Amino acid sequence: MKEDRKVIDSLYRISSLVSSTENPQDALKAILEEIVRILGATSASIALINPDTERLEVEVSFGLPDENSNIELRLGEGVTGWVALHQKPLLVPDVSADTRYIEVKPGVRSEMAVPMEDRGNTLGVVNVDSDNVNAFSEQDLQTMSLLATEATRVVSKLWLIDQLRTYKDRLQALVNTGQNLVSKRDPGAVLDGITEEARSILDCRICALFLFDHQSKTLELHSLSGISDDLKDYKERLSLEDSAVGSAILRRKQVEVSDLRRTEEHHFTTIIGREGLVSLLSSPLHFENEVIGVLNAYTDNPHRFSDDEKEIFGTLASLGSVAIVNARLYSRVFSSEETLRHNERLTTLGLLAAEIAHEIRNPLTVIRLLFESLDLHFSTEDMRHRDAAIIGEKLDQLEGIVTRVLSFGKSGSGLHARWNFSAVIRDTLHLVRLKLEQSRVSATYEPKDEALTIEGSKAQIQQVLLNLIINAMQAMPAGGSVKVASYRDTNENGPIAVVEITDTGHGISKEKRDQIFDSFLSGKHRGVGLGLTIVKRIVESHRGRIELAQTSANGTTMRFWLPVVPEHRQL
């Protein structure tokens, strides 16, 4: 009767742990101490089954050597593993006579083990030892089974409470994440925010976000969280068929890989090895019917993602998708707004240009009349003969420009003719010879083909050349050299005449290289930055193309080409 009372008191103390502690680990320690006290054991342990590895891992212990506290057993291995596998209590009066026994502590002579079961599932095993043979009886085994049953009930409730607390924290984190992501406008900040929040919520080793390129049908890595500093600039592009990550896109479902080391994964091969990644959960990012990309979570230990983890990760992926689409829409709105402001400036500039052109026409007419009245005639050997001819030609060009501005920039077809390209280039260099000398810049011209005939406006083509040469001069304030080269080439449309203008200036900064042909971009202290924009427009109106061939601190090369008139049309 007295023994029964002791067991009842022990059961009460174990059951009261539900209200006296919140930590399941603390409850397991208290339970084990109670069992040891009631049964008079010299050592004991509670081992729980790891759902990821399906192995028994010692959670708490009493009287065992520290080096054996982290022991792991397969189901069926040892007395403890046998009990977990068969879900039956076991009493071993003499461990030396039982082949199932595995020595963990020297001096153990007898052992008892009972399963911890919850609704038919074995969660773990309670194990007690004694240094004496036949130290435990069948009554002790029954008592231990009662205590283990109550202990399982208590721990299951504490786990449930802890799980609910985790759900609460995760839901709150999702709410905060949603508010945080929606408030971001920069697409890059949104992507980094998604991976950082995902890694925090799932408590995983690394998170990565790949965006889907609809044209190439590939996934490109855009954000990594949790990576080592030396891998911050890691880049990767995947085809959908090369990895389980692509399957998440194709199937539009989450994909789980339990062990990356045992699968033929073709992504993150460097990172998987370097960071010791083991398990993967990949969730597709999509908004309505649009595929956006995938969000991946990686662990550095074997892990089986629970349904709850998958659900919350999928919810986070959905929030991320909305945030990405939101950021893209904002980007388009800002771009449209900038375009409108740009067009307003162009309209204002056009009106101003028309007014200026109108004011220029009258004095230009006077200059022409006075120039013609001078009746300048020089011998063909005199340099002034050519200069006078060029002045007359440039007056015609100015008149044409004023006329085009006043007629809203429409070029007259009469301005187009066929020209020898090399002659046009030489005439242009002649025009700027004095400015080159003043700027201490030497100029050379190396034509590889003198017989290149082009069709277009000579004045406009010279405007292109002048602009590029003057830009080159301005990039060399202390002097330098300009090399002009022309040659014949071909493209998909036929033969072309190519011109390259190379200077020895300071080069173009990285942040401006992709914008040099945009309106109102200028790296100079004076000017509105329209020069290269007009140059590009002229070249393209002549069915040509212009590009930045190369630039560095040692100089810049600009290249443009125009179609060559076929020989049968030159007749």
Side-chain angles (χ1 to χ4, degrees), residues 58-71:
V58 175
E59 195 72 17
V60 293
S61 64
F62 173 86
L64 293 180
D66 292 338
E67 62 269 19
N68 291 327
S69 60
N70 294 325
I71 191 171

Side-chain angles (χ1 to χ4, degrees), residues 433-463:
R433 70 188 189 280
L434 295 177
K435 190 169 183 65
L436 287 167
E437 291 176 6
Q438 292 170 357
S439 302
R440 301 189 302 279
V441 173
S442 62
T444 59
Y445 174 43
E446 299 177 0
K448 293 185 178 179
D449 189 340
E450 293 279 2
L452 294 175
T453 301
I454 59 171
E455 189 173 56
S457 166
K458 179 181 179 182
Q460 289 187 348
I461 295 170
Q462 283 190 320
Q463 185 178 351

Side-chain angles (χ1 to χ4, degrees), residues 23-135:
N23 191 327
Q25 185 80 8
D26 294 339
L28 286 173
K29 289 180 180 179
I31 289 166
L32 191 61
E33 290 173 359
E34 189 67 34
I35 291 173
V36 168
R37 189 181 65 80
I38 289 293
L39 297 175
T42 56
S43 58
S45 66
I46 295 178
L48 301 179
I49 297 176
N50 187 324
D52 294 325
T53 62
E54 294 188 349
R55 292 191 174 212
L56 284 159
E57 298 177 359
V58 175
E59 195 72 17
V60 293
S61 64
F62 173 86
L64 293 180
D66 292 338
E67 62 269 19
N68 291 327
S69 60
N70 294 325
I71 191 171
E72 295 183 7
L73 295 172
R74 295 188 300 272
L75 297 184
E77 184 179 14
V79 172
T80 306
W82 186 94
V83 170
L85 180 64
H86 294 87
Q87 297 181 316
K88 294 180 180 179
L90 181 62
L91 170 61
V92 182
D94 185 354
V95 296
S96 64
D98 197 311
T99 57
R100 292 168 294 191
Y101 177 73
I102 297 175
E103 183 177 291
V104 175
K105 174 191 171 187
V108 171
R109 294 293 177 264
S110 59
E111 181 176 4
M112 278 196 309
V114 297
M116 298 177 67
E117 295 182 274
D118 181 36
R119 288 172 286 187
N121 296 318
T122 300
L123 305 179
V125 175
V126 181
N127 183 292
V128 295
D129 308 312
S130 176
D131 295 341
N132 300 316
V133 177
N134 294 315

